[in-house]
Amino acid sequence: MLDVGDEAPEFELPNQHGETVRRSDFDGQRLVVYFYPRANTDGCTAEARGFNDSLSEFADRDVGIVGISDDPVDDIADFAVDYDIQFDLLSDEFGEVATLYESYGEKQMFGKTFDGVFRNTYLVGPEGRVEAAYENVSPDDHPEEILADLEPVDISH
């Protein structure tokens, strides 16, 4: 995992619409960069829907969200349509960006060993530095966990 205070690596990846998204597109605001193993699996669907359901709460705190997996663009496009995902899902087909974020490597499942994406998340600050790191997160309540760690929003004005 990257450490709090580390500079968050720049990335340039296609989203579900085939448009290029960069980390630096979010300079000046906070950004949740979450890595998920596979579109349309139970945990990844729960996590994406949780972020989607919480979009206004993140927006109220001026926090952007991107989800990154090693799925091809066509797969994330279908996933985004199926669940009406309203934030950028990014395709990192060869795991290069996930590797930069120390969120890619050897995994084991059903007795097989393979390379894949780890379910990690980073909160990147407005200056491009890691403010928080979450390793091997629970997909079901992860958006709420991050919101709880963010400062409360003053809605009095």
Side-chain angles (χ1 to χ4, degrees), residues 5-8 23-24 26-31 123-131:
D6 286 350
E7 183 153 343
R23 190 210 34 86
S24 57
F26 298 89
D27 282 354
Q29 75 176 117
R30 286 175 160 159
L31 176 65
L123 178 63
V124 178
E127 305 301 319
R129 297 210 169 271
V130 174
E131 288 186 355

Side-chain angles (χ1 to χ4, degrees), residues 11 21-23 25-34 51-52 54-68 86-90 121-126 131 134 142-143 146-147 150:
F11 57 76
V21 175
R22 296 169 188 81
R23 190 210 34 86
D25 293 342
F26 298 89
D27 282 354
Q29 75 176 117
R30 286 175 160 159
L31 176 65
V32 170
V33 179
Y34 85 91
F51 278 115
N52 209 50
S54 302
L55 270 179
S56 65
E57 293 173 75
F58 281 99
D60 288 347
R61 291 164 174 83
D62 196 27
V63 179
I65 301 169
V66 295
I68 301 176
Q86 298 297 308
F87 58 88
D88 287 316
L89 296 175
L90 307 180
T121 300
Y122 293 94
L123 178 63
V124 178
E131 288 186 355
Y134 304 84
H142 187 46
I146 296 171
L147 285 168
L150 292 168

Side-chain angles (χ1 to χ4, degrees), residues 4 23 79 157:
V4 170
R23 190 210 34 86
F79 182 48
H157 53 277

Side-chain angles (χ1 to χ4, degrees), residues 33-101:
V33 179
Y34 85 91
F35 293 90
Y36 65 98
R38 187 74 49 226
N40 278 314
T41 58
D42 291 344
C44 296
T45 299
E47 188 172 25
R49 292 179 79 182
F51 278 115
N52 209 50
D53 291 346
S54 302
L55 270 179
S56 65
E57 293 173 75
F58 281 99
D60 288 347
R61 291 164 174 83
D62 196 27
V63 179
I65 301 169
V66 295
I68 301 176
S69 73
D70 59 358
D71 292 306
V73 170
D74 288 347
D75 288 357
I76 61 172
D78 292 343
F79 182 48
V81 168
D82 289 349
Y83 296 100
D84 193 29
I85 303 300
Q86 298 297 308
F87 58 88
D88 287 316
L89 296 175
L90 307 180
S91 173
D92 181 24
E93 275 197 80
F94 303 105
E96 293 166 345
V97 171
T99 298
L100 290 174
Y101 279 79

